[in-house]
Amino acid sequence: MTSLEFTSQVQKISSSLRPVAMNLTRDADDAKDLVQETLLKALLNKDKFKAGTNLKAWLYTIMRNTFINNYNKITKRSSNIDSTEYFQYFNTDENYITHNGATTDFVVRDINEAIASLGSDYRTPFMMYYIGYKYLEIAEKLQIPIGTVKNRIHIARKDLKAALHVYAPAGADRAGAVLLDEPEQD
């Protein structure tokens, strides 16, 4: 199937997508956006369509998956978890309880100094990751390979753990700061 034939068939089917999109979104503007996004994805991925299969079903599948992905993004962003009960037990270990406000100032100052002592090649990706950027986003923003980003963040963590070893819980091999724990992320 040529690109022209594919585009022509998608155009013919596109009018039947609108009622389904309306049924999913329950909003005319959102339905239009969903149809547009579906058509865009279909045209961008036309090489993945197998000639001789049901094009209409393929488009409906793209629309359904797009709707589900958008819905999940929205609900993740707007979900508020009441964690008051959880925080009652958070950091109840004696190693983390501060009875003197000055001690907290020393800890914060030491953490800030340790971060500032990192070279900018390591500090920038580490801080971007710490505030919530994903590895891929950091790589794109800094225009460096993703492997380099992961390596720099790893080295920054290692250096910070070494610099802040005095705050490790008694008998621990490594600093227990949440800031420095290795996440599981691709």
Side-chain angles (χ1 to χ4, degrees):
M1 176 182 298
T2 66
S3 286
L4 191 58
E5 290 172 338
F6 180 82
T7 307
S8 174
Q9 285 187 9
V10 167
Q11 254 181 339
K12 288 177 190 172
I13 297 172
S14 68
S15 61
S16 68
L17 296 175
R18 287 184 185 93
V20 177
M22 187 64 186
N23 192 27
L24 288 171
T25 63
R26 307 271 191 236
D27 181 71
D29 291 333
D30 289 341
K32 287 178 186 176
D33 290 344
L34 182 59
V35 169
Q36 273 188 332
E37 196 170 346
T38 302
L39 295 175
L40 177 65
K41 285 181 179 182
L43 293 173
L44 290 174
N45 294 295
K46 65 182 168 221
D47 56 314
K48 294 179 183 175
F49 177 72
K50 294 177 186 159
T53 59
N54 190 344
L55 179 61
K56 194 173 191 178
W58 188 68
L59 291 171
Y60 283 147
T61 302
I62 292 172
M63 180 184 294
R64 180 181 47 100
N65 290 342
T66 301
F67 173 76
I68 290 169
N69 290 340
N70 289 342
Y71 178 80
N72 287 339
K73 282 180 194 174
I74 291 168
T75 55
K76 268 187 186 176
R77 254 189 256 138
S78 64
S79 65
N80 294 329
I81 300 171
D82 181 18
S83 53
T84 357
E85 244 180 80
Y86 173 75
F87 285 124
Q88 290 175 352
Y89 306 105
F90 188 65
N91 282 346
T92 56
D93 186 348
E94 280 299 313
N95 294 324
Y96 296 105
I97 296 177
T98 303
H99 301 284
N100 180 351
T103 306
T104 303
D105 292 340
F106 288 125
V107 172
V108 170
R109 188 191 71 219
D110 288 349
I111 291 171
N112 288 333
E113 286 176 4
I115 291 171
S117 72
L118 293 171
S120 66
D121 285 349
Y122 298 100
R123 183 178 51 248
T124 302
F126 176 79
M127 290 309 295
M128 288 177 75
Y129 183 80
Y130 179 69
I131 62 173
Y133 285 91
K134 302 287 184 199
Y135 289 134
L136 188 59
E137 294 171 326
I138 297 168
E140 289 171 356
K141 285 211 183 265
L142 298 179
Q143 297 178 343
I144 55 177
I146 193 167
T148 304
V149 169
K150 289 179 180 182
N151 186 44
R152 288 180 182 176
I153 292 171
H154 173 76
I155 291 171
R157 279 194 194 107
K158 194 172 90 176
D159 291 351
L160 290 172
K161 284 179 185 181
L164 300 170
H165 73 278
V166 294
Y167 296 108
D173 295 355
R174 61 190 202 106
V178 174
L179 170 72
L180 303 175
D181 285 343
E182 295 278 346
E184 291 184 23
Q185 181 194 51
D186 290 322

